[in-house]
Amino acid sequence: MKLDLEPETHQMRDLVRDFARSKLNGAADPHPEQFRARWRAAADLGLTGCCAPVEHGGSGMGAADTAGVLEALGEGTGDTGFAFSVAAHLLACVTPLVHFGSEEQKRRWLPGLCSGELIAAHAVTEPEAGSDAMHLRTRAERVGDHYLITGVKAFITNAPVADIFIVQAATEPDGGVFGLTTFLVEAGTPGLGIGRPESKVGLHGSPMAEIHLDGCTVPVDHVLGVPGGGASVFTASMHWERTCLFAVYLGAMKRVIDSTVAYVRQREQFGTPIGAFQAVSHRVVDMLLRYEGARLLLYKAAHDLDQGAVDGVSAALAKIAVSEAAVQVGLDAIQLRGAQGVMHGEAEQMLRDCLPSRIFSGSNEIQRNNVARVLRLDRLERPAHGA
Ligand SMILES: Cc1cc2nc3c(=O)[nH]c(=O)nc-3n(C[C@H](O)[C@H](O)[C@H](O)COP(=O)(O)OP(=O)(O)OC[C@H]3O[C@@H](n4cnc5c(N)ncnc54)[C@H](O)[C@@H]3O)c2cc1C
C-alpha cells in the first residue's frame, strides 16, 4: 500500500490548515450569508471541488489526496460542522456527479459546484427510512418527459443553503434495490420545500433541514445515472463519504490530542504536572494509539478506493474506527481537563461534534452488518468429513 500523497497535496494541506486556523476559527455562525462567505473562501482554495476533474473546474484528486486535504481542514478549524458540510457536498454530491453524470450534467453543474457558486445536498434519509435506506417512501412517477416526486427527506445536511439536491426516490415501489432512481433537483423547482433549520447537539456550523417534495416536477434529463440505478449511485457515494469525510475527524482528533498534551504538561497537582501520573499519561498514549490506528485504516480505505475497490469493507472499517476513536478521544480530552473539561471549550465541543459521526453515513451497527455480510457470516458451513 502506497500512502504517499502528491507533492501538490502537501502544499495544499499547508495552505488549507493555515487558512482554517486564521479564517475558520470563530464560533460557527448559522447565518446563511456568513456560511456562504466561508464557503466561497474555502472554494477559492479548491476545497469544494478537489476530487472533480480539472476540465470541470476541480483539482482531479483521488481519494487519498482528497482525504489528506480534508484532514488538514479538520485540524485547522474548530468549526468541524463547516468542514463536515464541505465534505458532504464534495463526497455525497460532487463525487456521484463525477462518476454517474452525463457529459451534459457535468458541464452544467460541476463548474459551479467546484467554484463555490453552488452548494449541494444529498437527500436519502426519510422519517420512516433511516438505516433501511433501500425502502424509501418517496415516490417518483414518470409523466411524459418529467418525473413527479413526492415524499419527505429528513436530516439533510446543507438543505437550508443548498442550490442543488441529489434526491433518491422509488421509481418501482416493489423493485427493491433496482427500484430506486437518483435525481438532480435544483432549488426553486416547483413542489420543493425546505423545512426549518434543525438544532443538533454538535456540528453547529453545518446547517440541516427536512426537505418536502410535493409533486416536485423534474425533467427526465435530471436523472443521475440510469432509472433503477439509484442504489449504485448511493453505494458508490457512501464508499467515498465513509472514507474521505472521516478524515475531517482525524484532523480534529490531532488538534485536540495536541492541546491535551500541552494541558497535562502545564496543569500541576501534588507539586507535579499531571502528565507525570501514570493514569494520565497512559490515557494520553491510548488517545494517540486510537488516532494512529484509525488514521492507518482510513488511508488504507482511500488507497483501496483509488485502486477501484467496490466491496466497501475497508471504507466501513475506516468509518467505524475513526468515529469510535473520535468519540473516545473527546471523552478522554474532557476527563484529562477535570472540571475545565466540562466548561464550554475545545474538549466538550469535540465530543459534541463527534457523537453524530457514529450515526451518519450509515450507523456503525449497519457498517458491522455490511462487513459481516461480505464475510458471509450467516452461511452454515459444515466441516468436511474427517476434519
Ligand atoms: C449529523 C447528521 C447528518 C446527516 N446528514 C444526512 C444527509 O445529508 N442526507 C441524508 O440522507 N441523511 C443524513 N443523515 C441521516 C443519517 O443518514 C441517518 O441518521 C442514519 O442513516 C441512521 O438512520 P436513523 O437516524 O433513522 O436511525 P435508525 O435507522 O432508526 O436506527 C436507530 C438505531 O438502530 C440501529 N439499527 C437499525 N437497523 C439496524 C440493523 N439492521 N442492525 C443493527 N442495528 C440497527 C441503528 O444502528 C441505530 O443505532 C444525517 C444524520 C446526522 C446525525
Side-chain angles (χ1 to χ4, degrees):
M1 180 175 68
K2 181 173 170 290
L3 278 182
D4 294 342
L5 302 179
E6 298 295 332
E8 306 82 63
T9 307
H10 284 291
Q11 284 168 12
M12 188 164 166
R13 275 165 62 87
D14 292 342
L15 284 174
V16 165
R17 202 181 295 104
D18 291 348
F19 156 78
R21 280 186 184 136
S22 59
K23 300 278 191 280
L24 298 179
N25 252 337
D29 185 343
H31 197 278
E33 278 174 26
Q34 165 75 13
F35 183 88
R36 232 170 234 279
R38 287 187 162 202
W39 194 273
R40 288 216 178 86
D44 287 345
L45 277 180
L47 279 165
T48 52
C50 57
C51 54
V54 174
E55 67 264 32
H56 294 300
S59 310
M61 286 182 175
D65 291 286
T66 300
V69 166
L70 291 174
E71 183 182 22
L73 178 64
E75 186 184 343
T77 181
D79 185 354
T80 305
F82 178 78
F84 171 74
S85 268
V86 169
H89 156 98
L90 196 57
L91 304 163
C93 306
V94 171
T95 313
L97 196 48
V98 169
H99 292 122
F100 293 92
S102 65
E103 271 314 306
E104 166 57 22
Q105 289 170 341
K106 290 183 204 182
R107 268 200 305 276
R108 179 162 175 186
W109 285 298
L110 279 177
L113 290 167
C114 295
S115 72
E117 189 193 329
L118 302 177
I119 298 175
H122 190 175
V124 183
T125 307
E126 301 177 349
E128 307 301 330
S131 300
D132 196 6
M134 291 297 119
H135 290 102
L136 300 179
R137 307 262 167 113
T138 298
R139 298 277 179 263
E141 190 190 349
R142 183 161 177 171
V143 181
D145 57 359
H146 283 74
Y147 282 90
L148 297 182
I149 311 178
T150 299
V152 177
K153 297 290 180 181
F155 310 117
I156 306 307
T157 297
N158 293 344
V161 291
D163 304 289
I164 183 152
F165 296 83
I166 293 188
V167 175
Q168 297 282 0
T171 35
E172 294 287 339
D174 299 320
V177 291
F178 300 110
L180 300 184
T181 301
T182 312
F183 297 90
L184 292 151
V185 182
E186 291 177 307
T189 302
L192 173 68
I194 313 298
R196 283 214 312 268
E198 304 278 7
S199 167
K200 51 191 170 344
V201 64
L203 299 175
H204 292 154
S206 175
M208 170 192 271
E210 278 192 350
I211 72 169
H212 301 260
L213 301 131
D214 185 9
C216 182
T217 311
V218 178
V220 287
D221 65 2
H222 283 36
V223 168
L224 181 61
V226 294
S232 304
V233 178
F234 172 67
T235 303
S237 57
M238 283 302 107
H239 290 174
W240 275 79
E241 186 171 296
R242 284 171 199 149
T243 304
C244 301
L245 184 145
F246 286 81
V248 166
Y249 282 102
L250 289 179
M253 273 191 267
K254 168 86 169 59
R255 175 169 40 79
V256 170
I257 290 172
D258 285 351
S259 68
T260 304
V261 167
Y263 185 83
V264 304
R265 283 189 188 138
Q266 284 162 13
R267 172 70 176 163
E268 276 186 51
Q269 288 292 279
F270 303 96
T272 183
I274 59 170
F277 300 119
Q278 198 178 56
V280 169
S281 64
H282 283 193
R283 195 184 286 272
V284 174
V285 173
D286 286 347
M287 291 167 87
L288 198 59
L289 188 64
R290 284 195 183 87
Y291 158 73
E292 292 287 1
R295 188 166 190 266
L296 282 174
L297 276 175
L298 187 136
Y299 279 101
K300 157 88 166 54
H303 171 83
D304 288 352
L305 210 49
D306 284 334
Q307 299 301 309
V310 290
D311 66 13
V313 169
S314 51
L317 294 176
K319 194 267 171 180
I320 297 170
V322 176
S323 58
E324 294 184 356
V327 169
Q328 191 57 48
V329 164
L331 286 168
D332 289 337
I334 289 174
Q335 190 69 16
L336 289 171
R337 285 164 169 79
Q340 202 58 47
V342 289
M343 301 297 120
H344 286 307
E346 190 178 30
E348 61 83 31
Q349 189 187 325
M350 162 88 183
L351 181 62
R352 286 188 287 101
D353 288 339
C354 291
L355 285 175
S357 71
R358 299 186 302 185
I359 296 169
F360 59 66
S361 304
S363 74
N364 288 9
E365 290 79 10
I366 294 300
Q367 299 320 302
R368 287 182 164 90
N369 290 352
N370 289 346
V371 176
R373 191 175 311 115
V374 175
L375 294 175
R376 302 207 247 177
L377 297 183
D378 57 344
R379 295 275 178 99
L380 178 64
E381 276 189 18
R382 298 186 192 285
H385 285 301

